Amino acid sequence: MTDYSTCKERDAFDQTIYDLVNEYLQDSSFYPDNAYLAINTALKEIEIGALQEFDANWKMYPIEELLR
């Protein structure tokens, strides 16, 4: 993401995604069936939830497409 200007910030962003996806894998029953990884670049927030939980400010990726 271009909003992260330093390597340290980029690495922290990568780690946040990794941690959130790992949390999802540990207990996917806590999340909706068709969960999405959502990223709000303006707020620099990352969440997992149902598609309808997020507005147009979020970039969304189906979580199942990110996993092998």
Side-chain angles (χ1 to χ4, degrees):
M1 290 177 48
T2 57
D3 292 277
Y4 290 85
S5 58
T6 68
C7 291
K8 187 175 182 180
E9 288 173 323
R10 185 207 58 223
D11 291 347
F13 174 76
D14 290 348
Q15 186 65 46
T16 301
I17 290 175
Y18 174 83
D19 292 343
L20 190 58
V21 171
N22 193 42
E23 183 180 306
Y24 171 83
L25 289 172
Q26 296 300 316
D27 190 9
S28 61
S29 65
F30 179 74
Y31 297 95
D33 289 338
N34 294 319
Y36 282 78
L37 174 70
I39 301 172
N40 186 317
T41 56
L43 300 175
K44 296 184 180 176
E45 292 182 359
I46 305 164
E47 295 182 19
I48 293 178
L51 185 63
Q52 62 271 20
E53 294 178 31
F54 305 105
D55 62 25
N57 296 320
W58 294 80
K59 293 182 182 180
M60 291 170 280
Y61 308 91
I63 193 79
E64 292 299 326
E65 289 185 13
L66 302 174
L67 307 174
R68 288 190 196 197

